Amino acid sequence: MKIKVGLIGFGRMGRFYLKEMQKSGRWEVAYICDINPDCRELAKQLSPESKILENEQEMFDDESVQVVGLFALADSRLDRIEKAIKYGKHIISEKPVSDTIDKEWKVVDITEKASCFSTVNLYLRNAWYHQAIKQFIDQGEIGELAILRICHMTPGLAPGEGHEYEGPAFHDCGMHYVDIARWYAGCEYKTWHAQGVNMWSYKDPWWVQCHGTFQNGVVFDITQGFVYGQLSKDQTHNSYVDIIGTKGIARMTHDFKTAVVDLRGVTQTHHIEKPFGGKNIDVLCDLFADSIETGIRNPKLPLIRDSAIASEYAWTFLHDARTHDLPAIGELKTLEQIWERRRNMKNGYGLLRKP
């Protein structure tokens, strides 16, 4: 029997979840809810078997609905998570799980006390390349883990385009890299120093580099920014993971189509090229379906607590950047040119597609 689910929020991420749930054959998307009439119309086209709602209450009242997917913006998530628990629904949420860190920790508290399952889409943990690298490290092939270097720079979401409740780029996107560094290190952050740039003289830094240490002595540096050649004729990006041990290394690069992993250990050398995998929503949905069907929460599912920790550190690093010299480089008129270009792009990085 398929697992009955209702989706709240049918923007970019909501559509990703619908697509993967339809492909898997394990889910019945019974409801899709969105306050935007254009999104509701698109939902009717993409999922004619689903009931399309403007008001979510009918979905919560339906006792046959086992799972709710929360894919609207962060300011709406706390209330809906409380509601899901009240009505006995399992929860899949996008990150962050609320729009302030205090509310995020409230979500942690209520979900950890609830009997229903909950998870959050910290998608890098489910990526095949990180799983392969972590297994290689755990085998002792690179010796002791010493240095984590993570970079993700694209001409992606420009400031002012949306996602305001998710925070500046280093929080909205960068918290994924804050999370995956912590996942590799296996412990909490200890020290940090962050440097930012207010590119185009925008009020928030849209490029941040943070380096420091974990409690076990592992050193990290994380670089994230959606500033990488926004107006270049032919856009590109720079995204990598570079992990250095006392004896060997593991590294990954990707072009959003293919991920390339190089593993150089004391007894093994591997060069692996496989499809990138995108947001890995298929993996998350399968792990969650397994949990519901067995009644045992799959330990590979990210915890709401993991999201709150990553979010809090991302905010902390952003705050640290603001305490140092924060140069404003460029002009707002350049940002206006970027907005205009992105409004008219058919194929680009992080475009917020309209229905």
Side-chain angles (χ1 to χ4, degrees), residues 7 10 14-22 29 46-47:
L7 311 183
F10 201 61
R15 294 166 211 164
F16 283 157
Y17 278 90
L18 173 66
K19 180 180 178 181
E20 295 302 334
M21 287 177 169
Q22 288 175 328
V29 181
L46 297 180
S47 188

Side-chain angles (χ1 to χ4, degrees), residues 290-343:
D290 290 343
S291 300
I292 292 170
E293 289 172 355
T294 63
I296 301 171
R297 190 184 192 281
N298 193 302
K300 291 183 179 179
L301 283 171
L303 298 167
I304 300 291
R305 177 176 291 272
D306 294 321
S307 178
I309 290 171
S311 175
E312 185 166 36
Y313 276 117
W315 281 123
T316 298
F317 298 162
L318 270 166
H319 175 73
D320 189 68
R322 295 181 192 278
T323 67
H324 305 131
D325 184 39
L326 195 59
I329 299 177
E331 300 175 334
L332 284 173
K333 68 179 183 181
T334 303
L335 182 55
E336 292 170 0
Q337 293 171 359
I338 292 168
W339 290 336
E340 179 63 22
R341 183 188 193 192
R342 287 176 59 79
R343 274 194 295 267

Side-chain angles (χ1 to χ4, degrees), residues 77-86 91 97 103-116 118 304-305:
R77 290 179 191 146
L78 170 58
D79 290 344
R80 284 166 172 158
I81 288 170
E82 289 179 320
K83 200 171 186 179
I85 291 171
K86 176 183 176 181
I91 301 160
V97 292
K103 290 179 182 178
E104 288 182 80
W105 282 111
K106 183 176 180 181
V107 170
V108 172
D109 182 60
I110 62 176
T111 53
E112 289 186 348
K113 291 176 180 176
S115 59
C116 58
S118 57
I304 300 291
R305 177 176 291 272

Side-chain angles (χ1 to χ4, degrees), residues 162-173:
H163 283 213
E164 282 77 10
Y165 289 112
E166 322 291 318
F170 191 82
H171 185 267
D172 181 19
C173 172

Side-chain angles (χ1 to χ4, degrees), residues 146-160:
I147 302 164
L148 294 166
R149 303 186 63 240
I150 300 174
C151 174
H152 186 73
M153 294 189 293
T154 78
L157 188 74

Side-chain angles (χ1 to χ4, degrees), residues 45-344:
Q45 297 172 25
L46 297 180
S47 188
E49 67 279 6
S50 303
K51 189 163 188 179
I52 312 303
L53 304 174
E54 180 178 5
N55 186 303
E56 69 214 31
Q57 189 57 47
E58 180 180 348
M59 182 193 75
F60 281 105
D61 287 336
D62 187 339
E63 294 182 359
S64 69
V65 172
Q66 298 165 268
V67 180
V68 293
L70 303 180
F71 313 130
L73 289 179
D75 61 320
S76 69
R77 290 179 191 146
L78 170 58
D79 290 344
R80 284 166 172 158
I81 288 170
E82 289 179 320
K83 200 171 186 179
I85 291 171
K86 176 183 176 181
Y87 284 88
K89 315 294 188 189
H90 303 295
I91 301 160
I92 301 174
S93 177
E94 272 299 300
K95 60 79 205 159
V97 292
S98 195
D99 57 332
T100 69
I101 193 61
D102 288 343
K103 290 179 182 178
E104 288 182 80
W105 282 111
K106 183 176 180 181
V107 170
V108 172
D109 182 60
I110 62 176
T111 53
E112 289 186 348
K113 291 176 180 176
S115 59
C116 58
F117 296 141
S118 57
T119 194
V120 61
N121 183 27
L122 298 175
Y123 77 95
L124 292 177
R125 292 177 176 228
N126 294 322
W128 71 263
Y129 41 88
H130 286 306
Q131 291 288 335
I133 292 171
K134 186 70 160 57
Q135 183 179 22
F136 194 70
I137 293 170
D138 290 345
Q139 291 171 354
E141 282 291 323
I142 71 168
E144 292 185 60
L145 177 61
I147 302 164
L148 294 166
R149 303 186 63 240
I150 300 174
C151 174
H152 186 73
M153 294 189 293
T154 78
L157 188 74
E161 281 192 312
H163 283 213
E164 282 77 10
Y165 289 112
E166 322 291 318
F170 191 82
H171 185 267
D172 181 19
C173 172
M175 67 172 280
H176 282 300
Y177 303 99
V178 172
D179 174 68
I180 203 66
R182 174 177 170 264
W183 181 76
Y184 274 116
C187 66
E188 301 302 336
Y189 289 92
K190 181 180 180 182
T191 66
W192 51 83
H193 180 282
Q195 178 63 55
V197 176
N198 282 11
M199 190 71 90
W200 314 296
S201 296
Y202 188 69
K203 63 183 179 66
D204 294 316
W206 225 245
W207 179 95
V208 172
Q209 198 277 345
C210 185
H211 66 266
T213 61
F214 285 93
Q215 290 176 355
N216 59 4
V218 171
V219 173
F220 74 91
D221 74 70
I222 300 169
T223 303
Q224 194 280 335
F226 292 142
V227 300
Y228 207 66
Q230 283 279 9
L231 291 178
S232 57
K233 175 179 173 290
D234 298 304
Q235 291 184 331
T236 187
H237 66 279
N238 189 4
S239 189
Y240 63 79
V241 175
D242 195 6
I243 300 177
I244 304 166
T246 56
K247 298 179 181 179
I249 64 97
R251 65 190 182 195
M252 182 278 295
T253 61
H254 70 80
D255 62 3
F256 287 102
K257 295 178 181 178
T258 303
V260 179
V261 172
D262 279 305
L263 305 173
R264 307 295 177 97
V266 291
T267 67
Q268 303 175 49
T269 298
H270 300 285
H271 179 86
I272 310 168
E273 297 187 22
K274 291 170 61 176
F276 174 58
K279 298 290 187 181
N280 303 299
I281 290 170
D282 55 338
V283 179
L284 182 72
C285 289
D286 275 342
L287 292 173
F288 207 72
D290 290 343
S291 300
I292 292 170
E293 289 172 355
T294 63
I296 301 171
R297 190 184 192 281
N298 193 302
K300 291 183 179 179
L301 283 171
L303 298 167
I304 300 291
R305 177 176 291 272
D306 294 321
S307 178
I309 290 171
S311 175
E312 185 166 36
Y313 276 117
W315 281 123
T316 298
F317 298 162
L318 270 166
H319 175 73
D320 189 68
R322 295 181 192 278
T323 67
H324 305 131
D325 184 39
L326 195 59
I329 299 177
E331 300 175 334
L332 284 173
K333 68 179 183 181
T334 303
L335 182 55
E336 292 170 0
Q337 293 171 359
I338 292 168
W339 290 336
E340 179 63 22
R341 183 188 193 192
R342 287 176 59 79
R343 274 194 295 267
N344 294 291

